[in-house]
Amino acid sequence: MTHIARRHFGLTALAATLIGCSASAWSSDAAYPNPARQVRIIVPFTAGGSSDVQARMLADKLGRLWDQPVVVENKPGAGGHLGGRYVADQPADGYTLMVGSIGLHAAYGIYKKLPYNPATDLRVVTVLAEMPHVVVAAPALPASDMQQLTALAKKAPGTVNFGSAGVGSSVHMMGELYKLQSGAPIVHVPYRGSSAALNDLLGNQIQLMFENPPTVLGHIRAGKMKALAVTGKQRLAALPDVPTAAEAGIQGFEATSWTTVAVSAKVPPAIVEKISADVRKVINTPEFRKGLEEQGMTAVANSLPDAQRFVAQEKVRWDRVILEGKVSAD
């Protein structure tokens, strides 16, 4: 065999080896999840909020289904976009999931200079759950219903403050929707997560929040804050005596917030399909659905195409609120 022939043979063998290694690596990915790897669920908000509660429920059940560790990490900041960008930048292996929200997927129009594009850099694999919000007030606020709240805010503009989990969060956007529909000039005070805002509401440092049910039900039942309305079409089973916003006289103030399970858009379609199928399998178990209901949430678990259509429709809805309410984070 000539020197050139031997060299050609060697290069051919090397190429075959590399192709074999590549196929082996793909086979490893296709066998997702690998029990030797740790799966992380990123919560882009502080611990203790609704997204955190859902993520920990999901981590527990996915860990059992996959028979491997699934851990929750909180990465709050920038209305959730610190965590959102972190997930978008992770390796395309499917081992980093995220519990997303309205702020991340539908209300990011308030930011004009985000360092990433949530629509193209993240992929929603399913909508996890949806829930109405609860309008909660400090006991000292001299208003016991929504009409009294609106009258108070209009009588003394700038004196009623509402806290949120951050600019663009669902908690913030619900407040902006109320302002738009009622004309009440309430003032937004953003926090680094709902927990800090709730602490100030309990301490009468702010007067109002438009919060997710899981984080306020205990405080309402203990008499530490009062519930003025819920934002859904129907009353909340966990708060049967609290009227809907429509029943309370605020027409058009009807919306639910929702959470998603999302991954980096770079994750291969086969792995995305696997994650979507397994997450939906977990959400649809009676135990998980009951756990959500006890927290005032309703399971969704829709398919990949349906989830992406839903998010696109919600983006149009919240873009209108942002435009008409002149809401901006810049």
Side-chain angles (χ1 to χ4, degrees), residues 207-227:
Q207 293 76 45
L208 201 64
M209 282 189 74
F210 300 80
E211 186 53 272
N212 296 308
T215 52
V216 295
L217 288 176
H219 297 307
I220 295 168
R221 289 164 179 162
K224 295 180 180 179
M225 58 181 65
K226 50 190 176 184

Side-chain angles (χ1 to χ4, degrees), residues 138-325:
L141 185 73
S144 57
D145 59 43
M146 294 300 291
Q147 291 185 335
Q148 290 178 9
L149 170 64
T150 302
L152 176 66
K154 289 181 175 179
K155 182 178 180 180
T159 62
V160 178
N161 299 322
F162 78 99
S164 80
V167 177
S169 65
S170 61
V171 182
H172 172 207
M173 297 310 296
M174 291 292 174
E176 294 294 343
L177 181 60
Y178 165 67
K179 288 173 64 175
L180 196 61
Q181 298 303 131
S182 68
I186 58 176
V187 179
H188 177 224
V189 181
Y191 288 79
R192 192 179 170 87
S194 280
S195 298
L198 284 167
N199 285 338
D200 274 5
L201 181 65
L202 292 167
N204 287 302
Q205 301 302 308
I206 56 175
Q207 293 76 45
L208 201 64
M209 282 189 74
F210 300 80
E211 186 53 272
N212 296 308
T215 52
V216 295
L217 288 176
H219 297 307
I220 295 168
R221 289 164 179 162
K224 295 180 180 179
M225 58 181 65
K226 50 190 176 184
L228 305 185
V230 295
T231 65
K233 293 181 180 180
Q234 299 176 334
R235 294 193 181 198
L236 199 60
L239 295 170
D241 297 328
V242 179
T244 65
E247 289 174 333
I250 309 297
Q251 300 303 316
F253 182 37
E254 181 184 291
T256 58
S257 72
W258 37 268
T259 50
T260 68
V261 177
V263 295
S264 168
K266 301 189 298 285
V267 175
I271 296 179
V272 172
E273 291 280 359
K274 169 67 173 171
I275 294 170
S276 178
D278 284 354
V279 167
R280 284 184 284 132
K281 185 183 298 182
V282 165
I283 296 171
N284 283 323
T285 60
E287 182 183 1
F288 197 92
R289 296 179 78 91
K290 182 180 179 182
L292 289 175
E293 289 169 3
E294 289 173 349
Q295 299 291 331
M297 299 178 278
T298 302
V300 179
N302 49 7
S303 68
L304 266 166
D306 286 346
Q308 287 160 19
R309 274 193 293 270
F310 172 83
V311 169
Q313 290 167 355
E314 285 287 285
K315 174 80 166 54
V316 172
R317 172 198 184 115
W318 290 106
D319 275 348
R320 182 187 67 81
V321 175
I322 291 166
L323 180 64
E324 294 183 12

Side-chain angles (χ1 to χ4, degrees), residues 10-262:
L11 290 174
T12 303
L14 175 60
T17 301
L18 290 174
I19 290 169
C21 289
S22 176
S24 175
W26 173 248
S27 295
S28 175
D29 284 344
Y32 178 97
N34 183 339
R37 299 281 304 274
Q38 184 182 76
V39 178
R40 296 181 299 158
I41 301 179
I42 303 301
V43 177
F45 303 106
T46 52
S50 173
S51 295
D52 188 66
V53 170
Q54 293 172 69
R56 293 179 192 280
M57 290 172 59
L58 184 62
D60 176 58
K61 299 297 184 291
L62 275 179
R64 296 184 194 181
L65 178 65
W66 289 340
D67 193 25
Q68 70 183 94
V70 179
V71 299
V72 174
E73 293 183 15
N74 297 86
K75 292 188 178 295
H81 289 290
L82 189 74
R85 185 185 182 187
Y86 176 83
V87 172
D89 289 344
Q90 291 307 292
D93 56 14
Y95 287 88
T96 305
L97 282 57
M98 180 182 70
V99 172
S101 66
I102 284 176
L104 276 158
H105 300 300
Y108 57 86
I110 64 171
Y111 294 94
K112 307 306 179 192
K113 298 177 181 179
L114 277 178
Y116 78 119
N117 185 341
T120 57
D121 295 339
L122 296 170
R123 184 176 301 281
V124 173
V125 303
T126 191
V127 177
L128 197 165
E130 67 174 344
M131 71 207 86
H133 282 228
V134 185
V135 185
V136 289
L141 185 73
S144 57
D145 59 43
M146 294 300 291
Q147 291 185 335
Q148 290 178 9
L149 170 64
T150 302
L152 176 66
K154 289 181 175 179
K155 182 178 180 180
T159 62
V160 178
N161 299 322
F162 78 99
S164 80
V167 177
S169 65
S170 61
V171 182
H172 172 207
M173 297 310 296
M174 291 292 174
E176 294 294 343
L177 181 60
Y178 165 67
K179 288 173 64 175
L180 196 61
Q181 298 303 131
S182 68
I186 58 176
V187 179
H188 177 224
V189 181
Y191 288 79
R192 192 179 170 87
S194 280
S195 298
L198 284 167
N199 285 338
D200 274 5
L201 181 65
L202 292 167
N204 287 302
Q205 301 302 308
I206 56 175
Q207 293 76 45
L208 201 64
M209 282 189 74
F210 300 80
E211 186 53 272
N212 296 308
T215 52
V216 295
L217 288 176
H219 297 307
I220 295 168
R221 289 164 179 162
K224 295 180 180 179
M225 58 181 65
K226 50 190 176 184
L228 305 185
V230 295
T231 65
K233 293 181 180 180
Q234 299 176 334
R235 294 193 181 198
L236 199 60
L239 295 170
D241 297 328
V242 179
T244 65
E247 289 174 333
I250 309 297
Q251 300 303 316
F253 182 37
E254 181 184 291
T256 58
S257 72
W258 37 268
T259 50
T260 68
V261 177

